[in-house]
Amino acid sequence: MALTVKECLELQLLEVEMLLSMFPKRGEFSLDAAAVPGIQRYLGNAAGALPPQLEYRIALQVGEAKVKVELQVLLPHTYPQVAPQLFARSDALHRQQQLQLNTHLASHISSLDPGDLCVCEAVQWLKDNSLTFLGNSKGSSECAPREVRVKEILHRMWIYSHHIYRQELRKKIFDSAKKLNLTGFCLTGKPGVICVEGLQEHCEEFWRVIRYPNWKHISCKHVENVETEGSIDNLHLFHSFEDLQFQAHGDYGLRNDYHMDLGQFLEFLKQHQSGHIFQILFGVEGKLSDN
C-alpha cells in the first residue's frame, strides 16, 4: 500500500534515530541541526510547506587499517517508497574504483524489496565490500595498460540563477568547487552564472549540494561532455575556479540589486571559447559593445 509523504517522513526520522545509536561518536554522523526539527514541525502541521529533503553524511572506518569511507545520503520526501540518493567516497579510492564502488552499491540497493528502509543496509554493505575495491589499487597493475586506453570525459555544466549576492551562498559555491576539484567560475550579481567542469560525478555532486530547496530561480541551462583517450586535464577551458565580477550598470549606491555588464561577460566567454553559451543562457545573441 502506498505511503503518504507524512508516513515516509516519519520512517525517515526513525531511521535517523537508529543511525545515531549506531554512530554516536563526534564526527561519525553529520546532520544539519535544523533538519529534524523542520520535519517535526511539518509532521505537526502537514498542511504547511514541505521541509527540505533530509541530507546527512556517515563516516565509516573499514577494515583493520580503518580506511575512511564516507557515505553521503539525500532522501527524497517519498523515501522509502523511492530509492535514496547515495554516494560513497574515499581518498583511498581512485576515480575508477570509486565509480565501481558506487555502481555496485546502487545495484545492491535496487535489489532490495521496494519500500524498505535501506540506509542501514547500505552502511553494512560498504563495511563488508569496500575493501574489495580498495584492494584493487595494489592488484590492478596487470590491467593498467588497458585502463590507460579507457576514454575519459570532461563534464561541463552551465548554471543560471536570477541573482547571486549572499556571502554564505557564495562561500558554499566556492567551498564545494574546491572540495570537488572543479574549475570554472561564479559570476556574482544579477544575473548569476556558474560554470563547473571536471569529472561528471563531481559536477553532479556540486549541483546537488548547491541546489538546496530555498534557492529559487536556478537551473542548469546546458551540459557539455568532451571525450578523450588521454587526460581530461588538457580539455579544461578554465584553470581554476574564478570569482567573476564585472562593473555594474548604473549608480545604485548601497543597494545590492545591480545588473552586471553582460557585454564584459560575453567578452570573457569568447576569450574562453564559449561565446555560443551566451545565447543559451539569455536567449539572445550576444554582441560586444563598440569601444
Side-chain angles (χ1 to χ4, degrees), residues 89 175-182 199 201-203 205-207 209:
R89 64 168 68 250
D175 287 350
S176 298
K178 181 178 179 181
K179 181 179 179 180
L180 295 167
N181 196 30
L182 299 174
L199 298 175
E201 58 266 32
H202 290 178
C203 291
E205 171 68 3
F206 174 87
W207 177 231
V209 168

Short mmCIF file of all heavy atoms in Angstrom, two decimals, residues 89 175-182 199 201-203 205-207 209:
data_model
loop_
_atom_site.label_atom_id
_atom_site.label_comp_id
_atom_site.label_asym_id
_atom_site.label_seq_id
_atom_site.Cartn_x
_atom_site.Cartn_y
_atom_site.Cartn_z
N ARG A 89 32.38 7.92 -0.97
CA ARG A 89 33.66 8.46 -1.43
C ARG A 89 34.74 8.12 -0.41
O ARG A 89 34.47 7.94 0.78
CB ARG A 89 33.59 9.96 -1.64
CG ARG A 89 33.33 10.76 -0.38
CD ARG A 89 33.55 12.25 -0.60
NE ARG A 89 32.57 12.84 -1.48
CZ ARG A 89 32.86 13.28 -2.70
NH1 ARG A 89 34.08 13.18 -3.17
NH2 ARG A 89 31.93 13.82 -3.44
N ASP A 175 33.47 26.75 -1.80
CA ASP A 175 33.94 25.62 -0.99
C ASP A 175 33.65 24.29 -1.69
O ASP A 175 34.50 23.39 -1.70
CB ASP A 175 33.27 25.63 0.39
CG ASP A 175 33.81 26.74 1.30
OD1 ASP A 175 34.82 27.36 0.92
OD2 ASP A 175 33.22 26.97 2.36
N SER A 176 32.47 24.16 -2.28
CA SER A 176 32.10 22.92 -2.97
C SER A 176 32.96 22.69 -4.20
O SER A 176 33.41 21.58 -4.46
CB SER A 176 30.61 22.96 -3.35
OG SER A 176 29.79 23.05 -2.22
N ALA A 177 33.20 23.76 -4.97
CA ALA A 177 34.03 23.62 -6.17
C ALA A 177 35.46 23.20 -5.80
O ALA A 177 36.06 22.35 -6.46
CB ALA A 177 34.05 24.94 -6.95
N LYS A 178 35.99 23.79 -4.74
CA LYS A 178 37.34 23.45 -4.31
C LYS A 178 37.41 22.01 -3.82
O LYS A 178 38.33 21.25 -4.17
CB LYS A 178 37.79 24.40 -3.20
CG LYS A 178 39.20 24.14 -2.69
CD LYS A 178 39.60 25.14 -1.63
CE LYS A 178 41.01 24.84 -1.12
NZ LYS A 178 41.40 25.82 -0.05
N LYS A 179 36.43 21.60 -3.02
CA LYS A 179 36.41 20.25 -2.47
C LYS A 179 36.33 19.20 -3.57
O LYS A 179 36.94 18.13 -3.48
CB LYS A 179 35.24 20.10 -1.50
CG LYS A 179 35.14 18.73 -0.87
CD LYS A 179 33.98 18.65 0.10
CE LYS A 179 33.87 17.27 0.73
NZ LYS A 179 32.72 17.18 1.68
N LEU A 180 35.58 19.49 -4.62
CA LEU A 180 35.35 18.53 -5.70
C LEU A 180 36.34 18.70 -6.86
O LEU A 180 36.19 18.05 -7.88
CB LEU A 180 33.92 18.66 -6.20
CG LEU A 180 32.85 18.28 -5.17
CD1 LEU A 180 31.46 18.75 -5.62
CD2 LEU A 180 32.86 16.78 -4.92
N ASN A 181 37.32 19.58 -6.66
CA ASN A 181 38.39 19.76 -7.66
C ASN A 181 37.83 20.18 -9.01
O ASN A 181 38.21 19.65 -10.06
CB ASN A 181 39.22 18.48 -7.79
CG ASN A 181 40.55 18.71 -8.48
OD1 ASN A 181 41.13 19.80 -8.37
ND2 ASN A 181 41.03 17.73 -9.21
N LEU A 182 36.93 21.15 -8.99
CA LEU A 182 36.30 21.64 -10.22
C LEU A 182 36.88 22.99 -10.61
O LEU A 182 37.24 23.80 -9.76
CB LEU A 182 34.79 21.78 -10.02
CG LEU A 182 34.03 20.49 -9.68
CD1 LEU A 182 32.58 20.80 -9.36
CD2 LEU A 182 34.13 19.48 -10.81
N LEU A 199 35.18 15.98 -13.54
CA LEU A 199 34.57 14.66 -13.66
C LEU A 199 33.05 14.77 -13.49
O LEU A 199 32.57 15.58 -12.70
CB LEU A 199 35.14 13.71 -12.61
CG LEU A 199 36.65 13.45 -12.71
CD1 LEU A 199 37.12 12.60 -11.55
CD2 LEU A 199 36.99 12.78 -14.04
N GLU A 201 30.79 12.86 -12.08
CA GLU A 201 30.21 12.63 -10.76
C GLU A 201 30.48 13.80 -9.82
O GLU A 201 29.68 14.11 -8.94
CB GLU A 201 30.73 11.33 -10.15
CG GLU A 201 32.24 11.23 -9.99
CD GLU A 201 32.91 10.54 -11.16
OE1 GLU A 201 32.42 10.66 -12.29
OE2 GLU A 201 33.92 9.86 -10.92
N HIS A 202 31.61 14.50 -10.03
CA HIS A 202 31.92 15.65 -9.20
C HIS A 202 31.03 16.84 -9.55
O HIS A 202 30.56 17.56 -8.66
CB HIS A 202 33.39 16.03 -9.35
CG HIS A 202 34.32 15.03 -8.73
ND1 HIS A 202 35.69 15.15 -8.80
CD2 HIS A 202 34.08 13.88 -8.05
CE1 HIS A 202 36.25 14.13 -8.18
NE2 HIS A 202 35.29 13.34 -7.73
N CYS A 203 30.79 17.05 -10.84
CA CYS A 203 29.90 18.14 -11.26
C CYS A 203 28.47 17.90 -10.75
O CYS A 203 27.81 18.82 -10.28
CB CYS A 203 29.89 18.27 -12.78
SG CYS A 203 31.43 18.88 -13.50
N GLU A 205 27.61 16.14 -8.19
CA GLU A 205 27.61 16.31 -6.74
C GLU A 205 27.56 17.80 -6.37
O GLU A 205 26.84 18.21 -5.47
CB GLU A 205 28.86 15.66 -6.14
CG GLU A 205 29.10 15.94 -4.67
CD GLU A 205 28.08 15.30 -3.74
OE1 GLU A 205 27.19 14.57 -4.23
OE2 GLU A 205 28.16 15.54 -2.53
N PHE A 206 28.32 18.62 -7.10
CA PHE A 206 28.29 20.08 -6.90
C PHE A 206 26.87 20.62 -7.10
O PHE A 206 26.36 21.38 -6.28
CB PHE A 206 29.25 20.75 -7.88
CG PHE A 206 29.21 22.25 -7.87
CD1 PHE A 206 29.99 22.98 -6.98
CD2 PHE A 206 28.38 22.94 -8.76
CE1 PHE A 206 29.94 24.36 -6.98
CE2 PHE A 206 28.33 24.33 -8.75
CZ PHE A 206 29.12 25.04 -7.85
N TRP A 207 26.22 20.21 -8.18
CA TRP A 207 24.87 20.66 -8.49
C TRP A 207 23.90 20.23 -7.40
O TRP A 207 23.02 21.00 -6.99
CB TRP A 207 24.47 20.10 -9.85
CG TRP A 207 23.08 20.40 -10.33
CD1 TRP A 207 22.18 19.49 -10.80
CD2 TRP A 207 22.44 21.67 -10.44
NE1 TRP A 207 21.02 20.12 -11.18
CE2 TRP A 207 21.15 21.46 -10.98
CE3 TRP A 207 22.83 22.97 -10.13
CZ2 TRP A 207 20.24 22.48 -11.20
CZ3 TRP A 207 21.92 24.00 -10.35
CH2 TRP A 207 20.65 23.75 -10.89
N VAL A 209 24.65 19.69 -4.24
CA VAL A 209 24.95 20.39 -2.99
C VAL A 209 24.41 21.82 -2.99
O VAL A 209 23.81 22.28 -2.02
CB VAL A 209 26.47 20.41 -2.73
CG1 VAL A 209 26.84 21.38 -1.61
CG2 VAL A 209 26.96 19.00 -2.37
#
